[in-house]
Amino acid sequence: MSEREKLSPIALHKALERVWGSGEGFERLSAVNHTVVGKRFMMTALAFFAIGGVLAMLIRAQLATPDSAFMGPELYSQVFTMHGTVMMFLFAIPMLEGLGMYLLPKMLGARDLAFPRLSAYGYWCYLFGGAIIISAMLFGVAPDTGWFMYTPLSSNVYTPGINADVWLLGITFVEISAITAAIEITVSILKLRAPGMSLDRMPLFAWYMLVTAMMMVVGFPPLILGSVLLEMERAFGLPFFDPTRGGDPLLWQHLFWLFGHPEVYIIFLPAAGALSTIIPVFAQRPIVGYRAIIVAIVALAFLSFGLWVHHMFTVGIPHLALAFFSAASAVVAIPTAVQIFAWLATLAHGRPRFDVPMLYIFGFFIIFVIGGLTGVMIAMVPFNWQAHDSHFIVAHLHYVLVGGFVFPMLAGIYYWMPHVTGRESVHRISVPAFWLIFVGFNLTFFLMHITGLMGMPRRVHTYPSAFGWDWLNLLSSVGGFILTMGFALVLADMILQFRFGRYFRRNPWRARTLEWAIPTRPTSYAFASLPHIEERADGLDVETLGRDLAGGKGYLAFVRHERMETLGVDMTTGRIEHVALLPRQSYIPLIAAVLTGLAVLSMLFKAYWLALGCTVLVAASFVWWSQDNAIEPDIGPLDAGRGETVPPHTEVDGPAPWWATVFALLADGTLFASLVFGTLYVWLVAPNWPPSEIAGGGALLFLALIGYAAAGALGWWIVRANRTGRALVPMAALSAVYIVTIGLAVVALTGMPAPSGHAHAATVFTLLGYGALHSAIGLVFLLNAAIKMWRGMIVAGAQLEVRIGSLWHGYTAVTGVAGIMLVMAMPALIGMLEGVR
Amino acid sequence: MNKTTAIPPSRLLLLVVGFIVWSVAFIALYALNAIGCGFGWDAGFQRALLIGLFALHTVVLGGFAVGIVRHLRGAGFEPARTLAWAGLGLTVAALASTVLVFAPSLFASMCV
Ligand code: HEM
Ligand SMILES: [Cu+2]
């Protein structure tokens, strides 16, 4: 590679900004930059927090006095359902995603996340999904069956309007954004770090986000499946949850809580990651127990998937299973305790310095510990039976969620706001705001423990005056308004800082993590040149490093061919591996999200042909997207600066896109496993089995089985054949196979009992449909690859795209075969029931 | 610097194997209990299977823990060391969780 002329810092800044900057005015809609998208996520999440807060105030206004006529039961149901839904899905999750997106590349020493356009798509999906849900509320048709949407209440017999559909479709839409963000975050942490940042040097926040993102990858699919099944029941009468036709309402509870409990930790872990970042800075010493914390959070992630039934202790489950879930619920307190002790030890061994973020950390300790203690209480089955569905639970869940998420986030906001704005906090009202929030919170919620123990149920719109709950409720409502005043002051504080805060030198808190080594407010490209990391990345000399990097002494201190470039590293050792060529700003993510939104809306209004049309357009937009991203083949090794020369990401094994596919398939696999679980669950426990008509498929299914097996083999053959540029033949063969498997599934299904008759037929329909859907997506993959070959973007030996395709084809083969084998085994399984049921 | 030693991504599995075994045990015991009660198996038989599965997973985890301790000696460099230590911690944690969470297989009533 030729020697580049060295740019002056200003010239370097201008050159990078021209390529990475997001444009003004209308062009903002094409922004893909992680700083911009991360901020959008967080601002939007805070707006939803405000909406959820207003709803909470309505609830407290209603409950302030007995026999209140302010809201009737219908409206009250909508209000508390929307409050819970907005807070969980539209505030907490997007807030943590936004924080991760904004911070991670800067903390890890990269210029952007691995898939900038995917971040943008995820943001638009979130915004549109949230907008659909909020508009439903304005039209008075908001979901009203509780944030966990229990069937049969949420089935169309008891909730005939579109209220429940709004939830099922809208939340699933938002969930797409959550899963894309999770995959993006996982892969970015694993692959796009500064050279030298081996895993043991990664700041803890990245470990926390890695674990969280992996939990989202396997935690959200059960909920997505549950929502899809319930929507199919509501729309087309497939009786997955209807006990009169062989379904089981408890299946919904299992699927929901299989997501729902991990969700609580998904919310908590990033907040804990923020704490693990902020506490060492104010304690002025490194965190105590770096490895112990890694162990604790990975253990926590797994354990949290083994507790879901503790939300179902009262449904009638054998003692043995109760004992498992109860014990796991108690054990999960240990890794949480490990973290708390690590933080306390860090403070105890350091020289703690006081500032506003520390106030919120103090608030967190008190509130979260109380929430944890009541948590262990309700993990005990006999106590749970007493407290179930009372305001004790409302108190507990808010101590955990507000203590474990809102307080750490407020600490984080005060800590990172100067990074976002480049200005100092004005501070005059920060301290009173904290005390209002702290006192208001405890007044509101501590009293709910008492009303709960006195028997006040949750989710009732009013209560008579006879039980002695009146004063407690009134005080609790007063507390709620004090709390709100506190939040209003925080908002005012933020606005003041934006408008009047003084500009300051870099790094006001004397932090030692990389995000402070860039200019604040952050430049679009984050680092003018990328650092080489030689020690743990939470103990860096940020001032010197920042100066050196701005002066172009790191990697990639140049712009090449107007491309956006950052570095990819070996996952474990952090050795420099490739130059990642990122896609430029684009409107395609917005267009794809609009089309996805239209598909969702047409399903909401039961215009299924329109929905199908929109789905095809969505697929087309993804093909366009992929074509637009295409990178010319045979670029060869590139100069990376500092004397290193490495290939582009398209020419190495296992770059970010390949791993992203692996994690996407992991999510998909969890969905498939949940479907298999559901199939076996209704078979084993639902009433009204065996069904009167049994769906066998015979020879047709056997042919489809062979088809799927062939698909896997052909996918593999495509990769081999492309080494010599002769992939078209196996590609054509695979397309034919896919079309045949789809045809076979359709024909087999027409010969079977109607899926609306019994849960058995409904699960068979879904299993076969799952395979057919994957075949159809496989066709899109093939089409996309064929277009790229025709355009000369995939040539002989350019393996990345075909290897990604073959992952998909292999996955389709495995799940297709497994699904059909399960369908073919069903008659025998049903036969086994004859003797016992 | 450890420029020469490659550490494949699969080494990350050290962090999760222990708890994957724990998850498998969870699913196996829970499913066994559900199937046993669904089909009205003989109580002694179900109990024996439950205890057998419980013991099997405990032994497997014990074996993993010993294996990782051996592996630790060879893991002289970072990040191999951190991964090995964290892997050991997690496997031991998984073993402890297995014992604590599944011990009720020994005594709790199975179908009521
Ligand atoms: C701003 C202060 C807040 C107040 C005053 C408040 C108040 C309440 C009250 C009184 C209920 C019970 C309604 C009933 O059962 O009749 C409730 C339910 C709930 N809240 Fe909050 N809340 C607040 C913040 C939050 C936050 C930050 C979250 C989550 C991050 C949250 C999540 C929930 C959930 C999930 C429910 C259950 C909804 C359901 O039963 O379907 N809340 N809230
Ligand atoms: Cu839970």
Side-chain angles (χ1 to χ4, degrees):
Chain A
M1 285 266 110
S2 62
E3 270 300 305
R4 285 168 191 283
E5 71 178 290
K6 203 169 165 329
L7 296 173
S8 76
I10 302 288
L12 180 58
H13 165 76
K14 287 201 172 132
L16 284 164
E17 188 65 41
R18 203 177 55 241
V19 178
W20 290 81
S22 289
E24 288 297 315
F26 196 62
E27 275 180 30
R28 280 168 218 258
L29 298 177
S30 69
V32 296
N33 184 272
H34 73 279
T35 300
V36 175
V37 177
K39 279 198 291 198
R40 284 183 186 168
F41 260 105
M42 288 190 278
M43 296 300 286
T44 313
L46 288 177
F48 280 118
F49 180 64
I51 296 178
V54 169
L55 291 167
M57 288 307 96
L58 293 180
I59 297 176
R60 278 323 316 173
Q62 168 74 11
L63 294 182
T65 50
D67 299 314
S68 164
F70 176 48
M71 280 190 266
E74 291 85 9
L75 187 57
Y76 188 77
S77 300
Q78 291 193 18
V79 169
F80 75 71
T81 302
M82 283 297 287
H83 165 70
T85 304
V86 167
M87 287 298 195
M88 299 302 269
F89 294 103
L90 303 182
F91 160 61
I93 299 277
M95 182 75 195
L96 69 89
E97 289 164 1
L99 186 71
M101 287 183 170
Y102 179 89
L103 283 178
L104 282 169
K106 303 180 181 84
M107 271 191 181
L108 297 174
R111 282 189 177 143
D112 208 329
L113 295 162
F115 311 104
R117 290 187 175 180
L118 196 63
S119 340
Y121 175 72
Y123 174 72
W124 298 120
C125 285
Y126 159 49
L127 183 67
F128 298 154
I132 291 177
I133 295 172
I134 299 297
S135 347
M137 186 166 70
L138 300 180
F139 289 110
V141 289
D144 54 1
T145 47
W147 85 281
F148 36 74
M149 292 286 293
Y150 276 179
T151 54
L153 181 60
S154 58
S155 307
N156 50 5
V157 183
Y158 302 100
T159 304
I162 70 166
N163 309 48
D165 304 310
V166 169
W167 195 99
L168 295 168
L169 294 167
I171 293 297
T172 304
F173 191 19
V174 175
E175 236 71 311
I176 301 175
S177 105
I179 295 220
T180 55
I183 294 172
E184 159 125 274
I185 286 173
T186 309
V187 176
S188 302
I189 295 174
L190 290 175
K191 292 302 292 183
L192 299 193
R193 306 196 297 265
M197 193 187 285
S198 50
L199 284 178
D200 58 300
R201 290 178 183 160
M202 224 163 58
L204 275 175
F205 184 77
W207 275 104
Y208 274 99
M209 287 306 299
L210 178 63
V211 173
T212 309
M214 286 303 295
M215 289 179 72
M216 288 165 73
V217 165
V218 291
F220 280 84
L223 175 65
I224 294 184
L225 177 77
S227 304
V228 170
L229 296 186
L230 183 50
E231 185 56 28
M232 293 210 299
E233 170 169 315
R234 293 179 50 85
F236 309 114
L238 270 56
F240 300 101
F241 308 105
D242 176 1
T244 62
R245 289 176 287 161
D248 197 326
L250 284 185
L251 175 60
W252 169 266
Q253 296 197 18
H254 279 294
L255 291 175
F256 186 89
W257 289 115
L258 206 47
F259 145 82
H261 192 87
E263 152 91 347
V264 178
Y265 289 91
I266 289 171
I267 291 176
F268 170 62
L269 281 177
L275 295 176
S276 291
T277 310
I278 300 173
I279 289 176
V281 171
F282 288 98
Q284 312 194 63
R285 61 149 294 144
I287 186 100
V288 172
Y290 177 85
R291 283 179 190 166
I293 290 183
I294 297 174
V295 169
I297 58 184
V298 177
L300 192 65
F302 275 95
L303 289 169
S304 71
F305 280 90
L307 326 174
W308 79 94
V309 169
H310 70 204
H311 297 268
M312 305 163 59
F313 276 159
T314 53
V315 302
I317 281 177
H319 282 174
L320 178 61
L322 286 185
F324 288 170
F325 289 103
S326 177
S329 308
V331 167
V332 78
I334 298 173
T336 312
V338 167
Q339 294 173 71
I340 293 193
F341 285 121
W343 295 324
L344 289 176
T346 308
L347 287 171
H349 290 291
R351 286 170 291 120
R353 173 155 64 90
F354 169 79
D355 216 309
V356 178
M358 283 305 276
L359 268 181
Y360 284 96
I361 288 173
F362 155 81
F364 152 81
F365 274 119
I366 310 254
I367 292 174
F368 189 70
V369 167
I370 297 178
L373 292 178
T374 53
V376 174
M377 286 164 79
I378 51 182
M380 298 305 124
V381 176
F383 184 85
N384 184 291
W385 285 347
Q386 299 305 316
H388 181 76
D389 254 353
S390 74
H391 262 74
F392 191 88
I393 303 294
V394 179
H396 159 71
L397 79 91
H398 286 86
Y399 266 84
V400 178
L401 289 171
V402 177
F405 189 73
V406 178
F407 274 76
M409 278 301 123
L410 284 165
I413 285 175
Y414 276 104
Y415 180 74
W416 278 298
M417 267 292 275
H419 191 281
V420 177
T421 59
R423 294 167 186 259
E424 257 172 2
S425 175
V426 180
H427 267 7
R428 207 152 295 138
I429 49 178
S430 314
V431 176
F434 167 79
W435 286 109
L436 285 177
I437 292 179
F438 185 76
V439 171
F441 174 83
N442 281 297
L443 189 58
T444 315
F445 289 102
F446 194 81
L447 302 179
M448 289 190 202
H449 291 117
I450 306 173
T451 48
L453 290 178
M454 287 166 82
M456 178 165 164
R458 70 192 279 198
R459 297 179 166 176
V460 290
H461 77 288
T462 192
Y463 51 91
S465 178
F467 301 130
W469 304 343
D470 304 13
W471 278 106
L472 292 168
N473 270 307
L474 184 59
L475 276 179
S476 171
S477 295
V478 171
F481 286 92
I482 296 176
L483 177 59
T484 310
M485 277 153 56
F487 282 125
L489 279 192
V490 171
L491 182 66
D493 205 4
M494 287 166 70
I495 295 172
L496 282 180
Q497 182 178 342
F498 260 111
R499 295 291 316 253
F500 303 114
R502 269 187 309 138
Y503 288 105
F504 63 97
R505 67 198 151 76
R506 203 198 292 279
N507 194 6
W509 311 112
R510 280 170 277 146
R512 307 179 72 95
T513 38
L514 265 179
E515 81 271 28
W516 297 101
I518 66 170
T520 45
R521 316 194 308 256
T523 45
S524 57
Y525 51 85
F527 296 92
S529 65
L530 300 178
H532 186 92
I533 299 298
E534 268 138 33
E535 58 196 306
R536 211 167 75 196
D538 58 2
L540 302 170
D541 176 0
V542 169
E543 274 71 20
T544 319
L545 198 61
R547 234 180 351 257
D548 288 353
L549 297 178
K553 293 199 185 145
Y555 296 97
L556 293 182
F558 46 77
V559 175
R560 165 167 48 208
H561 304 318
E562 302 294 293
R563 276 207 201 102
M564 306 206 294
E565 295 182 336
T566 188
L567 288 177
V569 297
D570 178 66
M571 205 179 263
T572 50
T573 60
R575 202 164 38 218
I576 181 168
E577 188 188 86
H578 64 257
V579 175
L581 310 176
L582 301 178
R584 295 286 301 267
Q585 299 77 0
S586 162
Y587 294 101
I588 302 177
L590 174 60
I591 295 170
V594 168
L595 290 170
T596 318
L598 288 177
V600 170
L601 278 177
S602 7
M603 281 190 259
L604 192 56
F605 292 109
K606 309 213 181 305
Y608 294 108
W609 288 109
L610 194 60
L612 191 67
C614 290
T615 312
V616 172
L617 287 180
V618 172
S621 70
F622 280 125
V623 171
W624 176 27
W625 176 334
S626 164
Q627 298 295 334
D628 196 65
N629 277 3
I631 292 168
E632 66 271 34
D634 292 331
I635 294 179
L638 296 169
D639 174 18
R642 292 181 48 123
E644 299 267 7
T645 305
V646 285
H649 75 270
T650 42
E651 292 165 29
V652 295
D653 283 342
W658 190 84
W659 282 103
T661 316
V662 170
F663 290 115
L665 291 177
L666 180 61
D668 198 355
T670 322
L671 189 125
F672 182 72
S674 309
L675 177 58
V676 171
F677 164 76
T679 306
L680 294 175
Y681 185 85
V682 286
W683 161 71
L684 188 61
V685 286
N688 287 315
W689 279 68
S692 53
E693 287 177 295
I694 293 178
L700 287 178
L701 287 187
F702 192 71
L703 281 179
L705 190 76
I706 297 174
Y708 282 118
L714 284 167
W716 176 78
W717 186 15
I718 293 173
V719 177
R720 285 204 46 152
N722 193 56
R723 293 211 187 108
T724 51
R726 280 194 287 268
L728 276 178
V729 176
M731 281 168 68
L734 183 52
S735 313
V737 167
Y738 276 145
I739 292 171
V740 170
T741 52
I742 296 174
L744 285 170
V746 172
V747 177
L749 282 170
T750 48
M752 287 185 188
S756 54
H758 192 273
H760 163 55
T763 51
V764 166
F765 173 85
T766 315
L767 284 165
L768 295 182
Y770 180 89
L773 179 66
H774 282 70
S775 300
I777 299 174
L779 283 171
V780 177
F781 266 89
L782 289 168
L783 175 71
N784 187 34
I787 299 178
K788 280 193 182 167
M789 284 177 179
W790 174 70
R791 291 177 55 204
M793 291 299 193
I794 299 182
V795 296
Q799 295 301 75
L800 179 60
E801 297 261 350
V802 286
R803 285 179 58 223
I804 288 177
S806 94
L807 281 175
W808 180 268
H809 305 311
Y811 175 85
T812 305
V814 171
T815 50
V817 167
I820 291 190
M821 291 200 345
L822 180 57
V823 169
M824 299 200 341
M826 279 318 287
L829 289 174
I830 292 171
M832 289 165 63
L833 293 177
E834 305 280 329
V836 277
R837 302 279 287 281
Chain B
M1 287 287 314
N2 48 346
K3 278 223 153 178
T4 46
T5 38
I7 301 170
S10 58
R11 195 69 64 84
L12 277 169
L13 290 176
L14 272 180
L15 300 183
V16 291
V17 275
F19 271 101
I20 287 180
V21 175
W22 176 84
S23 313
V24 172
F26 205 113
I27 295 169
L29 288 163
Y30 185 49
L32 180 80
N33 180 231
I35 293 172
C37 297
F39 286 100
W41 286 354
D42 172 64
F45 177 61
Q46 189 186 152
R47 180 74 75 198
L49 279 183
L50 284 168
I51 296 176
L53 272 179
F54 175 39
L56 175 73
H57 288 97
T58 315
V59 171
V60 169
L61 278 171
F64 277 169
V66 173
I68 296 181
V69 171
R70 292 229 181 90
H71 165 86
L72 204 52
R73 297 206 193 102
F77 294 103
E78 288 295 6
R81 255 190 109 60
T82 296
L83 287 179
W85 272 109
L88 181 63
L90 278 158
T91 309
V92 172
L95 180 61
S97 314
T98 303
V99 173
L100 286 171
V101 174
F102 307 128
S105 311
L106 301 173
F107 52 81
S109 84
M110 289 177 296
C111 299
V112 279

